[in-house]
Amino acid sequence: MESNDLMMEHNRDLLLRPDLKPGDSGNSVLDQCLGDIDDYSLNVQELGSSHIDDHRLAVNQSNQYNMVPRHGNVQNYEENGLDFDSDVKLDTDQEHTDFDDQENQLTPISQRRLGLMEKHELAIKTNENSSSAVKQNQETCLVIDTPVIQSRVHDPVPNRQLTVGQQFPDVHSCRRALRDAAIANHFELKTIKSDKIRFVAKCACEGCPWRIHAAKLPDVPTFTIRTLPNEHNCVGITHLGHQQASVQWIADSIERSLKENPHYKPKEILEEIHQTHGIALSYKQAWRAKERIMAAVQDSFAEEFHLLPWYCHQIGRTNPGSVAVVYGNPVDHSFERLFVSFKASIYGFLNACCPLIALDEMLLKGKYHGTLLLATGFDGEGAVFPFAFAVVDDESNGEWVWFLSELHNLLEANIVNMPKLTILSDRQKSIIDGIEVHFPSAFHGLCVHHLIVNFSKEFDSTVLANLLWEAAFALTATEFEQKITLIEELSEDAARWIKRIDPHLWASAYFEGKRLGHLTADIVQSLGAMILEASGLPIIQMMEHIRRQLMTWFNERSETSSQWTGILVPPAERQVSVAIEHARTHQVLKVDDAEFKVISAEGSHIVNICSRHCSCCRWQLCGLPCAHAAAALLSCRQNVSRFAESCFTVANYRKAYSQTIYPIPDKALWRELSEGLDNAGYNSAELVIKPPKSLQPPAAKPGKKRPCTEVLGHMKRAVHCSRCHQPGHFRTTCTAPL
């Protein structure tokens, strides 16, 4: 009895102290209680494992009610929809409360019953018979000491309140409200009567008097709750499932998450439902719920093509200066092309990024065939800076020529004299044709990543592929030829394959444009999860997913750069610091005010600080002063960081992300906000955009490949007829005469 009294005393202190906060460590009361649990574990084992298991479900089912008073005061407890019985009083002004007798002590959770009070809030009441309170409290402490892997959690969803007179638009809404209330309050419903004019249900627990009656109002489809007289006297459900947790309820619960992330896995759905509602589902239920939502999403693919003109208008209205235009087939008005570029991205690219554009594409995974075209720049940290997107139907011709035409019009409209651009791509024919027409003066380079991929298909050798990378990054022609010679020594065929491609298109030592160390145009791989998640969504949801990510990037990078205090962005600052450290061992000979000869252990180089040129080629190719340039600048007492390309400065980085990408209103408001659509340059023909004709083929179901019996190590058993006793057939197919 002394151990029992000690245990109850510690539990009472833990429950009644309002100063205990969730997550507090080092709490003396809690530590002492847990210590007493360990000391008492041997005595509990004498009760037998069977007696412990009898109470485990009740304790697990009630864990969420045990959380609130344990970490908060009475007010917090009542805010969670729970109420104390009138026999139990808590004085929050006192740190400890004295109990005169055992009847006034807090009764264990397993001895409480659930009920609906006058406001139909979930209440906890105390059974009159509490003779085993101390014993069950010991069981509760034992379960806390040995946590259950899967148990009900505290439901963060607000309690569903049901009141007499509450009205619903129809019987289906009434059923959904009762279902949500049952799930939120952890009891199951059993339907007694359900038709067009009434709905009667009761608690599924045997012997519980709780009952509800809803009926239809005359001449209207509205349903109202007529009677709700009883309270629960049961402990609720004692398992982790729920009868009302149907596939449709699961689909309603995860609809928003699944639309934002179509790659949401059934396993993740199970985890979310359990964490949010404390309900354990089967994998099949989660899978069927996802399939039901995805079927509805497939229906929205066609609808969103109809809304594209309004969406483009909203982009121009909320982000002035942006470009958003959709094109349809003039004959049948089916979708052909969509081009979107936000003003913030245009401003950042033209005013803060180097004149370098990377082009890439990705096939869409939605209901219809389509391709997403992307054009990006690069910021001072080397991260991709997307500024133009397009969606084209696969059956349209010349998509890259059209995209580069829109890109040319976009840049030409925002700058007076277009700079001489450098464009990187995989150099497919349509891109070459488009650049020759719209950017004839641009330097068009081959993406080294695509070059390596094609090379690896012919020669499966990591050593050769690495040497090809090194040849692409070689700064001088001599270094480039050395790498090609090494490749030729290993494989003459590989060397011949490389020599067929003009090095002026991909090798840094020969390329005439300014790439500043960027040799690849694999944008899809750089953007990663953002593009992959968006590729399976309907067209407007996909563009909104991209816009939200850009909006987040602009905000985060703007806030991050506001804390920088140097002249250059951190990666460039580190490279310059390394160059300065190496420059301290170099000898500098001044030729004139601009030209210097720098002697190092590797040899001597000529540096011109006015033209920002070094004979090692690193300064002009990478945009940051090399060690030789740093030595020459230090000899003139110049700040080395100020001789880097402007795109690497903190000022330009902040300018790149200085503009804001604003959100788009909800679809329900588009038609109302687009009343002036005809005046904005759209005519009635352009407002009709139908889905493209090309559909994605359905995924083929993989057939089962049964292994041969000989492979499994045994021969196929010969069958015999039981009628004629001959091998090779059965009695039912026997044709032998009687």
Side-chain angles (χ1 to χ4, degrees):
M1 287 300 296
E2 293 180 359
S3 298
N4 294 343
D5 293 338
L6 178 61
M7 183 64 68
M8 291 300 298
E9 183 67 25
H10 288 307
N11 288 343
R12 185 173 66 253
D13 291 342
L14 185 61
L15 291 172
L16 301 182
R17 284 190 58 183
D19 59 326
L20 297 182
K21 305 296 183 182
D24 284 350
S25 60
N27 189 297
S28 59
V29 176
L30 180 60
D31 294 341
Q32 189 175 359
C33 181
L34 294 178
D36 292 337
I37 293 171
D38 295 335
D39 296 337
Y40 195 72
S41 59
L42 292 177
N43 296 332
V44 174
Q45 291 177 0
E46 298 177 359
L47 298 175
S49 59
S50 60
H51 187 69
I52 295 175
D53 293 336
D54 293 339
H55 296 280
R56 192 174 298 274
L57 283 177
V59 174
N60 293 344
Q61 185 269 337
S62 306
N63 278 345
Q64 69 274 18
Y65 307 119
N66 201 16
M67 291 174 64
V68 179
R70 191 177 292 261
H71 297 301
N73 51 23
V74 177
Q75 182 180 359
N76 293 334
Y77 192 75
E78 294 174 347
E79 288 175 355
N80 286 271
L82 302 179
D83 195 3
F84 285 100
D85 188 75
S86 58
D87 295 337
V88 181
K89 304 295 182 181
L90 295 179
D91 188 358
T92 58
D93 297 332
Q94 298 179 1
E95 184 175 357
H96 300 283
T97 303
D98 296 329
F99 289 84
D100 296 334
D101 50 29
Q102 187 175 356
E103 294 180 356
N104 291 329
Q105 294 181 2
L106 288 176
T107 311
I109 300 297
S110 58
Q111 290 294 313
R112 297 176 184 172
R113 55 187 174 90
L114 306 178
L116 292 175
M117 305 299 289
E118 294 181 358
K119 296 182 179 180
H120 306 285
E121 298 178 351
L122 195 60
I124 299 181
K125 296 195 173 183
T126 309
N127 281 348
E128 296 178 1
N129 185 12
S130 58
S131 59
S132 60
V134 176
K135 184 176 181 179
Q136 293 186 4
N137 199 33
Q138 295 166 1
E139 299 287 351
T140 305
C141 292
L142 179 63
V143 174
I144 295 174
D145 185 55
T146 307
V148 181
I149 296 177
Q150 191 178 40
S151 61
R152 291 200 176 274
V153 295
H154 176 63
D155 188 1
V157 180
N159 286 332
R160 309 284 182 173
Q161 295 185 358
L162 300 175
T163 58
V164 176
Q166 187 174 353
Q167 295 183 355
F168 307 96
D170 49 42
V171 65
H172 301 292
S173 301
C174 180
R175 292 171 183 167
R176 285 194 297 268
L178 293 177
R179 176 198 65 187
D180 294 340
I183 292 175
N185 296 324
H186 305 294
F187 69 91
E188 292 180 335
L189 282 174
K190 182 177 181 180
T191 302
I192 300 176
K193 184 74 175 179
S194 179
D195 53 31
K196 296 181 179 180
I197 62 173
R198 62 193 144 184
F199 181 83
V200 183
K202 68 174 185 177
C203 179
C205 289
E206 185 177 355
C208 181
W210 188 90
R211 186 184 180 95
I212 187 170
H213 175 228
K216 178 180 174 296
L217 295 178
D219 301 328
V220 291
T222 305
F223 264 67
T224 181
I225 297 179
R226 292 289 181 84
T227 58
L228 191 62
N230 304 110
E231 298 177 357
H232 289 272
N233 66 356
C234 61
V235 296
I237 55 177
T238 57
H239 54 85
L240 292 177
H242 202 290
Q243 186 176 352
Q244 272 67 51
S246 61
V247 173
Q248 185 59 47
W249 174 81
I250 302 170
D252 295 339
S253 302
I254 64 170
E255 180 176 6
R256 182 174 181 179
S257 301
L258 192 58
K259 286 183 177 180
E260 293 178 355
N261 178 19
H263 303 286
Y264 208 36
K265 298 179 181 179
K267 183 179 179 181
E268 297 172 342
I269 296 174
L270 297 177
E271 295 176 356
E272 178 182 338
I273 294 296
H274 182 258
Q275 292 177 1
T276 305
H277 302 282
I279 297 176
L281 304 172
S282 66
Y283 185 90
K284 184 177 181 180
Q285 285 179 298
W287 182 84
R288 290 176 60 194
K290 178 181 178 180
E291 289 297 309
R292 186 169 296 185
I293 294 298
M294 293 308 296
V297 170
Q298 293 292 326
D299 295 337
S300 68
F301 272 89
E303 178 187 356
E304 294 206 351
F305 283 101
H306 298 301
L307 295 175
L308 276 177
W310 282 271
Y311 178 67
C312 293
H313 179 69
Q314 291 304 314
I315 291 178
R317 190 185 68 83
T318 57
N319 294 267
S322 301
V323 178
V325 58
V326 59
Y327 298 92
N329 189 302
V331 178
D332 57 4
H333 305 299
S334 61
F335 171 82
E336 284 191 345
R337 297 166 180 145
L338 171 70
F339 182 87
V340 175
S341 181
F342 294 97
K343 174 62 177 178
S345 300
I346 300 171
Y347 177 86
F349 174 75
L350 294 176
N351 293 277
C353 298
C354 66
L356 171 64
I357 298 177
L359 304 176
D360 201 1
E361 65 181 5
M362 182 186 64
L363 296 177
L364 301 181
K365 302 177 181 178
K367 181 178 180 180
Y368 298 94
H369 277 292
T371 304
L372 178 66
L373 309 181
L374 304 99
T376 72
F378 297 91
D379 63 18
E381 286 194 303
V384 292
F385 189 89
F387 69 92
F389 306 89
V391 180
V392 296
D393 182 27
D394 284 350
E395 293 188 353
S396 61
N397 298 320
E399 63 275 3
W400 275 112
V401 176
W402 163 81
F403 181 72
L404 290 167
S405 172
E406 295 287 342
L407 205 59
H408 179 270
N409 297 336
L410 172 70
L411 299 177
E412 191 176 39
N414 287 274
I415 54 178
V416 179
N417 297 317
M418 186 180 299
K420 200 167 186 178
L421 295 172
T422 297
I423 300 177
L424 298 177
S425 72
D426 59 358
R427 289 188 62 89
Q428 56 178 282
K429 186 179 184 303
S430 58
I431 296 180
I432 295 175
D433 295 340
I435 291 177
E436 289 178 353
V437 173
H438 301 290
F439 297 95
S441 62
F443 299 103
H444 188 192
L446 173 63
C447 171
V448 178
H449 174 77
H450 289 86
L451 177 66
I452 298 295
V453 170
N454 293 330
F455 178 80
S456 299
K457 292 178 181 178
E458 297 289 335
F459 308 96
D460 187 11
S461 172
T462 305
V463 176
L464 293 176
N466 291 337
L467 287 173
L468 184 56
W469 271 111
E470 294 174 5
F473 280 95
L475 300 177
T476 63
T478 302
E479 186 180 352
F480 173 82
E481 294 299 335
Q482 290 175 354
K483 300 299 180 182
I484 298 299
T485 301
L486 291 176
I487 294 176
E488 190 172 13
E489 292 176 356
L490 294 175
S491 173
E492 294 182 359
D493 293 338
R496 281 194 296 269
W497 189 94
I498 296 172
K499 290 178 180 179
R500 290 202 306 264
I501 304 173
D502 188 355
H504 290 85
L505 300 177
W506 58 278
S508 298
Y510 295 96
F511 188 74
E512 298 178 359
K514 182 179 290 187
R515 294 187 293 186
L516 300 182
H518 298 287
L519 274 67
T520 65
D522 192 15
I523 305 171
V524 173
Q525 184 177 5
S526 301
L527 295 178
M530 183 193 85
I531 293 295
L532 292 178
E533 292 177 1
S535 62
L537 296 173
I539 186 167
I540 293 180
Q541 294 183 36
M542 177 182 67
M543 299 307 299
E544 276 296 279
H545 184 90
I546 294 174
R547 184 200 58 77
R548 285 193 299 268
Q549 185 62 63
L550 290 179
M551 182 175 65
T552 303
W553 282 353
F554 270 62
N555 182 55
E556 291 177 350
R557 295 175 183 181
S558 177
E559 292 181 354
T560 301
S561 63
S562 64
Q563 302 175 2
W564 295 341
T565 57
I567 298 176
L568 304 179
V569 297
E573 193 73 45
R574 287 191 292 269
Q575 293 186 42
V576 171
S577 298
V578 172
I580 292 175
E581 190 65 28
H582 292 166
R584 301 189 186 280
T585 60
H586 296 352
Q587 181 183 359
V588 180
L589 300 178
K590 184 176 181 181
V591 178
D592 54 31
D593 291 341
E595 193 168 303
F596 299 83
K597 182 177 181 180
V598 180
I599 302 174
S600 64
E602 294 81 11
S604 60
H605 294 277
I606 304 300
V607 176
N608 191 308
I609 61 176
C610 289
S611 61
R612 301 188 178 187
H613 182 278
C614 178
S615 58
C616 76
C617 299
R618 182 176 295 277
W619 193 1
Q620 53 268 35
L621 292 180
C622 298
L624 295 173
C626 60
H628 314 111
L633 292 169
L634 290 175
S635 68
C636 300
R637 299 190 178 184
Q638 296 291 330
N639 189 333
V640 179
S641 298
R642 296 190 180 278
F643 285 81
E645 288 286 341
S646 60
C647 62
F648 294 108
T649 62
V650 173
N652 269 32
Y653 188 92
R654 291 171 180 168
K655 187 184 295 185
Y657 297 101
S658 61
Q659 302 292 312
T660 302
I661 297 178
Y662 295 97
I664 307 297
D666 189 75
K667 293 179 183 179
L669 304 175
W670 289 359
R671 295 181 182 272
E672 179 182 349
L673 297 173
S674 302
E675 293 178 353
L677 196 60
D678 293 334
N679 298 329
Y682 294 89
N683 55 47
S684 57
E686 290 176 327
L687 290 177
V688 181
I689 300 295
K690 298 180 180 179
K693 300 177 181 179
S694 55
L695 291 171
Q696 293 279 12
K701 184 178 179 180
K704 293 183 178 180
K705 185 178 180 180
R706 301 183 182 277
C708 181
T709 55
E710 287 79 1
V711 176
L712 295 178
H714 59 272
M715 299 298 293
K716 185 177 180 180
R717 183 176 64 87
V719 296
H720 288 77
C721 177
S722 60
R723 181 169 172 268
C724 66
H725 304 288
Q726 297 297 320
H729 64 276
F730 294 99
R731 180 185 182 89
T732 55
T733 59
C734 182
T735 59
L738 294 174

